[in-house]
Amino acid sequence: MFLPSVFEKKESFGSDVADDIAQRVNDACSKKPLESKFKELQDKYKTPQNCKFLCVPKVNLELWHDLPRHTKSKDLGTQEVQKNILKSAQPMVKLFDSVLVAQNERKMVQPSETLPVIGDAITFLGHASFLASLKRREFFKPDIGVAYQSVCSKSNPVTTFLFRDELPKHIKYIGEVNKTAKTTVVRSSLVRRTSDYKSSSNNFKYSQRGRKPFLGSRGHKAHFSEGRPAVRSHPPHSSKELRDKA
């Protein structure tokens, strides 16, 4: 029997755990939790006062104010991941302390008290992994075509693959949706342009019908006989012309 190849790296797995535990682990690592319930869960645990280094270190203000916006944005995203990692440590520290007190007092540790705390720690740790996966997607986004950047959406589930299972099938679907949307937009644009042209043409005709003649602004029309020269309607004002007429 040959030894396993040292060039093939396969992830090893242990024995199965209870289905309820597996469900909680898988959900925590792959889905976004309900904000209201998750906030309530976070508020249950606090960092002990004498464990001051169990925190997300702040950036020194002297440096923070001079950093560019994109650097600040990246750091804030990383802080969120780190905060949830540390949040998973808070219930574990609490449990650690409870077990130590029980040992010193020679008391039994009650599963009903420890199991919920362990479950909450797993939820926090899984959520931290989920946020780290989303952050990794953001790092890839600038190198993905604009038309297909929706694969980086937070709404897409995280599986054993960063961009979900069956990625080629999902990309094909996105391409079809983009093509349909583009066709619809082009048709709508043509209809809108045609409508705008007709409206403009009608408005021009209306303005032509409603426009008053240039020389008839007072409502009088000039009367001319066909084939005859125009005759002045007002009497001559020159005295010489009056004597000549006489």
Side-chain angles (χ1 to χ4, degrees):
M1 182 177 179
F2 292 101
L3 295 174
S5 174
V6 296
F7 300 103
E8 295 181 6
K9 184 178 180 180
K10 294 183 179 179
E11 188 171 358
S12 59
F13 295 95
S15 57
D16 290 348
V17 296
D19 291 341
D20 291 342
I21 297 176
Q23 185 67 40
R24 173 169 285 205
V25 171
N26 292 331
D27 287 346
C29 294
S30 63
K31 298 178 182 179
K32 181 180 179 181
L34 296 175
E35 291 186 8
S36 58
K37 291 187 176 181
F38 193 70
K39 180 66 167 56
E40 183 179 345
L41 186 63
Q42 287 179 318
D43 292 340
K44 285 175 58 178
Y45 301 98
K46 304 293 181 183
T47 296
Q49 191 171 358
N50 58 345
C51 299
K52 62 179 182 179
F53 294 127
L54 186 62
C55 68
V56 178
K58 298 178 182 179
V59 179
N60 303 66
L61 291 177
E62 297 84 359
L63 178 62
W64 181 257
H65 293 310
D66 295 330
L67 294 173
R69 177 180 294 182
H70 69 274
T71 301
K72 291 180 180 179
S73 179
K74 289 181 179 179
D75 182 69
L76 290 173
T78 308
Q79 284 184 38
E80 191 65 23
V81 176
Q82 187 178 12
K83 182 170 69 176
N84 280 273
I85 294 175
L86 296 175
K87 201 67 182 177
S88 67
Q90 290 175 350
M92 296 303 295
V93 171
K94 179 181 178 179
L95 180 61
F96 195 179
D97 183 66
S98 298
V99 173
L100 185 60
V101 170
Q103 183 183 30
N104 292 336
E105 297 180 356
R106 299 182 182 277
K107 293 182 178 179
M108 294 292 294
V109 177
Q110 299 297 326
S112 59
E113 297 177 359
T114 59
L115 288 178
V117 178
I118 297 174
D120 292 342
I122 290 175
T123 299
F124 289 136
L125 193 58
H127 184 62
S129 175
F130 174 73
L131 292 179
S133 296
L134 297 185
K135 184 56 59 177
R136 289 176 61 200
R137 282 182 181 177
E138 290 183 17
F139 294 153
F140 283 100
K141 191 173 182 178
D143 298 317
I144 297 176
V146 176
Y148 298 96
Q149 287 186 353
S150 59
V151 298
C152 301
S153 173
K154 295 180 180 180
S155 61
N156 289 329
V158 177
T159 62
T160 53
F161 291 98
L162 186 61
F163 295 98
R164 68 189 290 170
D165 297 333
E166 299 181 349
L167 181 61
K169 182 178 179 180
H170 186 51
I171 289 177
K172 182 179 179 181
Y173 171 75
I174 294 174
E176 293 174 352
V177 171
N178 290 338
K179 184 178 180 181
T180 302
K182 185 176 180 181
T183 304
T184 304
V185 170
V186 170
R187 289 179 179 176
S188 299
S189 178
L190 290 174
V191 171
R192 186 167 57 252
R193 289 180 183 177
T194 304
S195 176
D196 291 344
Y197 172 78
K198 290 182 179 180
S199 176
S200 176
S201 178
N202 291 335
N203 290 338
F204 177 76
K205 292 178 181 179
Y206 175 79
S207 64
Q208 289 294 94
R209 289 198 303 269
R211 182 179 297 173
K212 296 181 179 180
F214 180 71
L215 297 178
S217 59
R218 295 183 181 179
H220 299 290
K221 294 183 179 180
H223 299 282
F224 299 99
S225 299
E226 294 183 4
R228 298 179 183 179
V231 180
R232 287 187 300 182
S233 59
H234 56 81
H237 298 286
S238 173
S239 58
K240 186 177 183 299
E241 289 183 2
L242 289 175
R243 287 198 300 269
D244 292 341
K245 288 288 182 179

